Amino acid sequence: MRGLSVFISEIRNCQNKDQERLRVDKELGKVRTRFKNEKGLTPYEKKKYVWKMLYIFMLGYDVDFGHMEAVSLISAPKYPEKQVGYIVTSCLLNENHDFLRLAINTVRNDIIGRNETFQCLALTMVGNIGGREFAESLTPDVQKLLISSSCRPLVRKKAALCLLRLYRKNPDVVNVDGWADRMAQLLDERDLGVLTASMSLLVSLVSNNHEAYVSCLPKCVKILERLARNHDVPQEYTYYGIPSPWLQVKTMRALQYFPSIEDPNTKKSLFEVLQRVLMGTDVVKNVNKNNASHAVLFEALALVMHLDAEKEMMSQCVALLGKFIAVREPNIRYLGLENMTRMLMVTDVQDVIKRHQAQIITSLKDPDISIRRRALDLLYGMCDVSNAKDIVEELLQYLSTADFAMREELSLKAAILAEKFAPDLSWYVDVILQLIDKAGDCVSDDIWFRVVQFVTNNEDLQSYAAAKAREYLDKPAIHETMVKISAYLLGEFGHLLGRHPRCSPKELFSIIHEKLPTVSTSTIPILLSSYAKILMHTQPADPELQNQIWAIFNKYESCIDVEIQQRAVEYFALSRKGAVLMDILAEMPKFPERESSLLKKAEDSEADTAEQSAIKLRAQQQTSNALVVSDQRPANGTSPVSHLSLVKIPSMSTNVDNISTDEGLTQSNGALTRVDPQPPSADLIGDLLAIEGPPVPSEQTVTPGLDGVTDIADGAAIVPVGEQTRVVQPIGNVSERFDALCLKDSGVLYEDPYIQIGIKAEWRAHHGRLVLFLGNKNTSPLVSVQALILPPSHLKIELSLVPETIPPRAQVQCPLEIVNLRPSRDVAVLDFSYKFGTDAVNAKLRLPAVLNKFLQPLQLPAEEFFPQWRSLSGPPLKLQEVVRGVKPLPLQELANLLNSFRVMVCPGLDPNPNNLVASTTFYSESTRAMLCLARIETDPADRTQLRMTIASGDPTLTFELKEYIKEQIVNIPVAPPIATSPPQPPPSAQPPSTTATSSNDPVALLAGLL
């Protein structure tokens, strides 16, 4: 190999790139000549020349010959030639190269042979390339090596990594069906090298189908216990005193793909390990040890958040992160801030995070801009009503010294926080004016448009806002945006400041006119409108002021800008007509209640800062094609807090659905004009339900009905469909699955041979968060996946992250945000469709966002219950109805039934032992927290009838809750179904408002739950 050493030395001695290229070209020509006379080459010479080709390739030069010689060395009988053949082939050739087909048989012979060295070489090359043909030909042999008890750990470790690469590249080819038991056996391995490689394989497997590997979950916990106790861990796998940190990280990551841990002993053991990790991690001087221990720690934090641990452990995590954000090492501070931002997803620890507010604010002044950005994200996420004032003031103070790269984001977030959590409107106006004054270039027009809307809609704020605008105009140099808002406010409301010399019309005109030479063309129309308004409010007329303003109008009548010219001409003509000017330039009418465009801008940044667990991060990589039907979200997942309204006491009759979400002010051709709200649109759901049926689809189209057997909807906001050719049948009864999910927060909503749709839900007050689990059960992708939410008018629903294609054996998650606006029993519908091969499947599924999900059980004592009961006297707040034809139930079973719907029975309150008294709290955006009371009177002589009385402070809520409880009681099946044939469809589909009776009721499942 002396020739190779000399060549490398000559390359290093080259003075410039041209010399190096000449030397490389000379050597390539020499190698090419020798390869043409291949018969005269010895294996040693061929090996030497192939090494030179690899070195030249690594220098960045193209090597377009000699590939066949490299591949031919794989079949050499001696190790040196075989080694260079495998190494050069894996570096020079990609998975689609034709020459690789020539080596498949040789590679397979090496894998199944007895020579362990050759096995390792072959496995390493296949693991590096991972082609489809390798996967089809070699997967069974690699799997046999992995589970073979006769192979050395080194070979099995390489087999696990090779199988991992093949599975990642070709999951549809690599058959892992039935591998759950084998993976569980591999996790019992004592050799940590094989165990680490097997854990990497398990992480990939559970990321696509975690349900099949539930048996591996307790084994993963045992591995963590073994490492945490440093039991049977060889010294070579201990890194700076930490037992195999890589294996710990991989194991915790695998556990994050399982939704929950059911076994209490396993869960207890896991939390003990996590507690040990949290307690035993601290910052030391050794950087390498810090890196390893923090890798384990932050993965443990992610697992704690994923498992929704108890508040005590969550608080301990926050306290540990609080130490990290105060250390000198910048990387540790960054990770502490980032993970504390993730902790904001956990509602119970937000108060604990607030204790570190001072240190987080200090991080805003860190020299590292990445740390400053993380601190800003964290402050933005942790802000609520209690600390909004302090945080916004700190952000305004920091704005003066902030980098220009951060000012735009900082300004937007400060404006959003001020609007979300303002204690009063005057403070909000102060904040926005300070924001414009300190960072005018970074403040968009949307921000000052919003201030104008608030001031216009609140009369007691108008004089205050005008006075503040007058103060800012006294400054010698202000930003043009400040000129715009000040001129507008003084023009509209300057007359409210009285006749003080500093606030007289002449003085207001003078101070505004001083700014005219400094502004751009887009601002002049606003100033002209202010002059006209000031002239209108000057009564009696001031001839001197009038002549000054007329002179300005005359000057701009010939302006080249059409907008300025038109305004000048019209204002001059109107001002000469006296009373006409008063009518046309009257005060702006109040703006309708609408959502701020600033909150829409914040959604993307909120999605970035509220990072998800491992499964959710994987789902976020999918492209969404779902229809977003609402864009209002709860703030930070915290308790319900109202955003600023345009008016202080908005009318409860305002139809939010019929309000345009565009801002009420827009700038067109430089002029500030009003945009009228869009006319109310027809109810989308009502229109859909009025349709007799969709067009008859092709024979390949499949529309599973509500009950999984028939195509007839049962009157719960489902679109009726006609008779169709059935190609794909749902597995199980869809209606029964829906009824079960009405009682619990997780389970399967729909399943057929191709896909399984599961749901996991979380409900807080009038906000709900559902996650749809879309799992592809086959080895081919599902394409043309589409999802559309058809929400009733009382729900605001936003669906996102629905991929157009679901990969084979993969599961994606699609979050769903729900806001309950008012009480109603209508049900939202998920219109879901996809294609598999020639089959097109369309399922219209009810979502379990029903009335009882927004109830919070409440048990009142007698001294609180009866005063409330007496205060709600008579219809419509208290309704009573005799319900007949119910199934006779013992009183305790009836009480359990009410409790299952979150209507809490209060025992011992009613003196009659045959009666039940219950209470609950209903949450919606219109009612907020509304107390609901119920009384059920039964007749011991006739259990088939009862009298029900429902009372609340809202008439609609009283009626809807009464009807809901009545439906559940009436629909209890008289006897459990014993027929084996499918249930017959009802004679006709009921309208959405009709109470549908069905034998497939939540109570059918309730008997088993109780």
Side-chain angles (χ1 to χ4, degrees):
M1 301 297 290
R2 185 179 173 209
L4 176 62
S5 301
V6 172
F7 173 63
I8 293 175
S9 177
E10 291 176 353
I11 288 293
R12 291 178 175 176
N13 291 332
C14 291
Q15 300 296 319
N16 52 50
K17 190 69 176 176
D18 292 335
Q19 288 184 12
E20 179 184 294
R21 186 180 299 277
L22 288 174
R23 184 66 186 87
V24 167
D25 289 342
K26 179 181 177 181
E27 191 66 31
L28 286 176
K30 178 182 176 182
V31 173
R32 191 189 300 269
T33 302
R34 296 304 302 270
F35 279 165
K36 286 182 180 179
N37 190 18
E38 185 179 356
K39 293 183 180 179
L41 288 178
T42 64
Y44 172 81
E45 290 177 321
K46 185 185 293 186
K47 178 184 70 171
K48 179 177 66 174
Y49 291 133
V50 170
W51 273 126
K52 288 183 179 180
M53 287 171 46
L54 177 61
Y55 180 68
I56 292 172
F57 175 77
M58 293 174 66
L59 290 176
Y61 297 96
D62 291 333
V63 179
D64 55 359
F65 69 94
H67 300 160
M68 186 62 192
E69 285 75 9
V71 173
S72 66
L73 286 174
I74 294 178
S75 58
K78 295 183 179 180
Y79 174 77
E81 287 79 12
K82 187 180 287 288
Q83 179 197 34
V84 67
Y86 273 120
I87 293 176
V88 176
T89 300
S90 62
C91 292
L92 292 183
L93 305 185
N94 60 36
E95 61 185 74
N96 299 317
H97 204 286
D98 293 335
F99 284 166
L100 284 180
R101 297 172 184 165
L102 303 177
I104 289 180
N105 288 334
T106 303
V107 173
R108 183 173 185 275
N109 290 333
D110 286 341
I111 289 178
I112 65 178
R114 294 293 183 179
N115 192 318
E116 293 180 347
T117 305
F118 291 175
Q119 286 178 328
C120 292
L121 287 175
L123 291 171
T124 302
M125 189 196 75
V126 175
N128 284 329
I129 295 179
R132 188 176 187 86
E133 294 188 4
F134 276 153
E136 293 173 347
S137 304
L138 305 178
T139 295
D141 299 316
V142 176
Q143 290 174 330
K144 288 179 182 178
L145 281 183
L146 177 59
I147 62 177
S148 174
S149 59
S150 61
C151 290
R152 290 178 58 192
L154 177 63
V155 178
R156 298 177 63 201
K157 177 172 65 174
K158 290 185 178 294
L161 296 177
C162 179
L163 184 61
L164 171 62
R165 172 60 181 250
L166 295 177
Y167 180 73
R168 284 177 176 172
K169 294 287 291 184
N170 310 282
D172 56 325
V173 175
V174 179
N175 184 13
V176 291
D177 293 339
W179 258 72
D181 294 337
R182 295 179 180 178
M183 286 305 305
Q185 294 174 3
L186 287 173
L187 296 183
D188 290 329
E189 178 67 40
R190 307 309 301 173
D191 185 275
L192 290 188
V194 178
L195 193 56
T196 304
S198 301
M199 190 60 67
S200 300
L201 178 60
L202 178 64
V203 170
S204 183
L205 293 174
V206 298
S207 66
N208 289 331
N209 183 14
H210 66 85
E211 294 179 353
Y213 298 91
V214 175
S215 59
C216 297
L217 195 151
K219 298 291 183 69
C220 292
V221 176
K222 289 183 179 179
I223 292 173
L224 287 177
E225 284 186 293
R226 171 187 172 186
L227 297 176
R229 296 172 181 172
N230 202 359
H231 176 68
D232 193 19
V233 179
Q235 184 63 32
E236 58 267 24
Y237 284 95
T238 302
Y239 185 79
Y240 287 93
I242 304 172
S244 189
W246 312 277
L247 180 56
Q248 292 190 53
V249 169
K250 291 178 183 294
T251 307
M252 292 179 187
R253 190 163 297 168
L255 289 173
Q256 291 178 55
Y257 284 95
F258 295 98
S260 61
I261 300 177
E262 303 296 338
D263 183 42
N265 294 328
T266 303
K267 192 170 186 177
K268 180 182 178 182
S269 300
L270 177 58
F271 279 126
E272 288 177 355
V273 173
L274 295 176
Q275 185 74 27
R276 185 188 294 262
V277 173
L278 297 178
M279 294 292 293
T281 305
D282 204 353
V283 180
V284 295
K285 292 184 178 181
N286 191 303
V287 176
N288 292 328
K289 183 172 183 179
N290 277 338
N291 291 338
S293 61
H294 292 153
V296 176
L297 171 66
F298 290 125
E299 204 65 46
L301 290 174
L303 183 57
V304 168
M305 288 185 282
H306 175 73
L307 296 176
D308 291 334
E310 297 179 354
K311 184 177 180 181
E312 183 178 352
M313 180 173 285
M314 292 290 190
S315 302
Q316 184 180 352
C317 294
V318 176
L320 188 60
L321 293 174
K323 294 180 181 179
F324 287 167
I325 66 176
V327 300
R328 296 180 60 183
E329 175 62 35
N331 290 335
I332 297 177
R333 289 204 307 277
Y334 179 91
L335 291 173
L337 291 169
E338 183 183 39
N339 281 272
M340 194 173 282
T341 305
R342 292 184 179 185
M343 294 292 292
L344 289 172
M345 297 171 55
V346 184
T347 308
D348 295 338
V349 298
Q350 288 184 352
D351 292 336
V352 185
I353 294 178
K354 292 177 187 176
R355 300 173 188 172
H356 305 280
Q357 180 174 316
Q359 184 60 44
I360 298 170
I361 292 174
T362 304
S363 299
L364 277 177
K365 305 174 179 64
D366 194 277
D368 192 332
I369 189 172
S370 60
I371 293 179
R372 296 198 297 270
R373 288 187 183 277
R374 295 288 76 78
L376 176 59
D377 292 340
L378 180 53
L379 283 174
Y380 177 74
M382 63 186 285
C383 186
D384 58 19
V385 175
S386 62
N387 60 0
K389 203 166 184 179
D390 295 335
I391 289 180
V392 172
E393 288 177 358
E394 288 290 343
L395 294 181
L396 290 175
Q397 183 178 354
Y398 172 61
L399 191 59
S400 303
T401 58
D403 293 355
F404 286 99
M406 287 185 60
R407 287 196 177 188
E408 184 173 355
E409 179 185 6
L410 187 61
S411 302
L412 177 63
K413 289 186 174 180
I416 292 170
L417 294 180
E419 181 174 340
K420 275 186 176 181
F421 307 114
D424 57 75
L425 290 176
S426 60
W427 178 82
Y428 171 73
V429 172
D430 289 341
V431 169
I432 301 301
L433 292 180
Q434 290 182 57
L435 196 63
I436 295 173
D437 184 47
K438 294 182 178 182
D441 289 331
C442 303
V443 177
S444 65
D445 286 340
D446 292 332
I447 293 178
W448 78 270
F449 288 174
R450 193 67 172 165
V451 174
V452 168
Q453 295 174 28
F454 284 128
V455 175
T456 302
N457 283 23
N458 295 275
E459 295 180 359
D460 53 350
L461 189 64
Q462 293 168 357
S463 59
Y464 177 82
K468 296 297 292 185
R470 172 68 180 80
E471 293 178 9
Y472 278 100
L473 283 179
D474 282 337
K475 292 187 175 184
I478 60 175
H479 193 269
E480 187 170 341
T481 304
M482 182 65 76
V483 176
K484 291 179 182 179
I485 187 172
S486 299
Y488 184 91
L489 293 175
L490 291 176
E492 286 287 335
F493 313 113
H495 64 283
L496 302 176
L497 298 179
R499 293 297 177 178
H500 190 276
R502 294 186 72 255
C503 301
S504 64
K506 183 179 292 187
E507 179 66 21
L508 294 181
F509 165 76
S510 176
I511 197 170
I512 295 175
H513 189 54
E514 287 178 2
K515 310 299 180 183
L516 182 62
T518 65
V519 299
S520 62
T521 305
S522 62
T523 306
I524 294 178
I526 301 177
L527 300 186
L528 296 180
S529 299
S530 298
Y531 299 159
K533 291 273 189 175
I534 291 174
L535 186 61
M536 177 192 71
H537 290 300
T538 306
Q539 300 297 335
D542 184 341
E544 182 180 356
L545 177 60
Q546 188 180 65
N547 292 332
Q548 286 180 308
I549 295 177
W550 282 355
I552 296 173
F553 289 159
N554 285 329
K555 173 184 175 181
Y556 285 103
E557 281 182 348
S558 57
C559 180
I560 192 172
D561 187 275
V562 176
E563 179 70 20
I564 297 176
Q565 181 186 121
Q566 182 177 355
R567 291 208 178 200
V569 171
E570 292 179 354
Y571 289 156
F572 180 71
L574 290 172
S575 62
R576 297 175 66 88
K577 296 184 180 296
V580 178
L581 184 66
M582 298 286 293
D583 296 334
I584 295 178
L585 296 182
E587 291 186 4
M588 295 282 282
K590 292 185 177 182
F591 292 84
E593 183 73 14
R594 64 188 63 190
E595 185 185 3
S596 170
S597 63
L598 298 180
L599 301 182
K600 299 177 188 176
K601 290 182 179 179
E603 290 181 358
D604 293 337
S605 59
E606 286 182 1
D608 291 339
T609 57
E611 299 189 32
Q612 312 293 318
S613 63
I615 305 176
K616 298 177 182 177
L617 287 175
R618 178 169 57 84
Q620 287 178 346
Q621 297 171 359
Q622 307 291 342
T623 304
S624 172
N625 67 336
L627 174 66
V628 178
V629 295
S630 171
D631 51 13
Q632 182 172 351
R633 295 184 178 187
N636 307 328
T638 58
S639 56
V641 178
S642 299
H643 299 161
L644 278 182
S645 299
L646 288 178
V647 289
K648 286 187 177 179
I649 307 179
S651 172
M652 298 307 294
S653 62
T654 302
N655 187 353
V656 182
D657 295 333
N658 293 335
I659 292 177
S660 169
T661 58
D662 296 331
E663 289 300 327
L665 295 172
T666 183
Q667 199 158 358
S668 174
N669 296 329
L672 190 68
T673 57
R674 278 294 298 273
V675 177
D676 294 329
Q678 298 175 356
S681 58
D683 183 16
L684 173 64
I685 301 301
D687 292 344
L688 289 174
L689 293 175
I691 301 175
E692 292 294 329
V696 178
S698 64
E699 292 185 359
Q700 300 296 335
T701 302
V702 184
T703 308
L706 195 64
D707 58 0
V709 178
T710 66
D711 282 329
I712 300 179
D714 71 347
I718 270 299
V719 181
V721 295
E723 294 294 331
Q724 299 172 353
T725 303
R726 179 70 58 178
V727 178
V728 178
Q729 292 281 354
I731 299 174
N733 191 305
V734 180
S735 181
E736 290 181 358
R737 294 184 188 273
F738 168 78
D739 293 340
L741 286 171
C742 290
L743 298 178
K744 58 182 182 179
D745 290 335
S746 63
V748 177
L749 179 66
Y750 170 80
E751 185 175 7
D752 61 32
Y754 303 141
I755 195 171
Q756 183 185 76
I757 303 178
I759 277 186
K760 185 176 181 180
E762 182 180 8
W763 307 93
R764 287 190 175 94
H766 63 291
H767 295 286
R769 178 179 175 83
L770 274 73
V771 179
L772 295 178
F773 295 80
L774 309 179
N776 184 355
K777 301 166 58 178
N778 293 271
T779 56
S780 298
L782 302 181
V783 299
S784 300
V785 179
Q786 293 186 351
L788 173 67
I789 297 292
L790 308 178
S793 60
H794 75 285
L795 294 179
K796 282 189 176 181
I797 302 180
E798 177 182 347
L799 172 66
S800 59
L801 301 173
V802 179
E804 188 174 357
T805 301
I806 302 179
R809 297 287 182 180
Q811 183 189 77
V812 296
Q813 297 186 15
C814 307
L816 210 98
E817 301 288 345
I818 299 178
V819 178
N820 185 29
L821 302 178
R822 55 187 174 275
S824 176
R825 287 170 295 129
D826 293 337
V827 183
V829 176
L830 171 65
D831 190 348
F832 186 81
S833 61
Y834 67 91
K835 291 183 179 179
F836 182 85
T838 59
D839 293 338
V841 182
N842 178 251
K844 294 180 174 61
L845 309 168
R846 292 176 294 173
L847 292 177
V850 290
L851 183 74
N852 69 303
K853 298 295 186 181
F854 304 104
L855 297 177
Q856 184 65 40
L858 177 67
Q859 195 165 32
L860 292 178
E863 59 271 14
E864 295 182 16
F865 182 90
F866 290 111
Q868 295 282 355
W869 181 263
R870 286 190 291 268
S871 64
L872 301 170
S873 57
L877 299 181
K878 181 183 288 185
L879 298 178
Q880 190 176 87
E881 182 176 352
V882 176
V883 183
R884 295 182 173 85
V886 301
K887 176 188 175 182
L889 282 179
L891 201 62
Q892 184 58 44
E893 288 191 23
L894 185 59
N896 293 337
L897 178 63
L898 292 176
N899 291 336
S900 68
F901 301 128
R902 304 188 183 185
V903 180
M904 178 65 69
V905 172
C906 305
L909 290 190
D910 197 302
N912 189 335
N914 295 311
N915 298 344
L916 295 176
V917 172
S919 60
T920 187
T921 305
F922 177 79
Y923 290 91
S924 71
E925 197 172 77
S926 61
T927 63
R928 293 299 172 185
M930 180 68 68
L931 178 65
C932 305
L933 307 176
R935 186 185 187 194
I936 309 295
E937 301 172 79
T938 64
D939 185 0
D942 186 4
R943 290 286 187 180
T944 62
Q945 65 176 1
L946 52 83
R947 182 164 64 183
M948 179 170 57
T949 309
I950 307 296
S952 76
D954 182 76
T956 305
L957 173 58
T958 303
F959 174 78
E960 294 291 341
L961 184 59
K962 178 182 73 71
E963 292 298 314
Y964 177 78
I965 297 177
K966 174 184 172 183
E967 289 176 7
Q968 309 310 318
I969 294 177
V970 170
N971 291 342
I972 300 175
V974 176
I978 58 175
T980 58
S981 58
Q984 297 299 318
S988 61
Q990 301 294 333
S993 60
T994 305
T995 302
T997 60
S998 171
S999 61
N1000 300 320
D1001 197 74
V1003 183
L1005 178 66
L1006 182 62
L1009 293 176
L1010 296 179

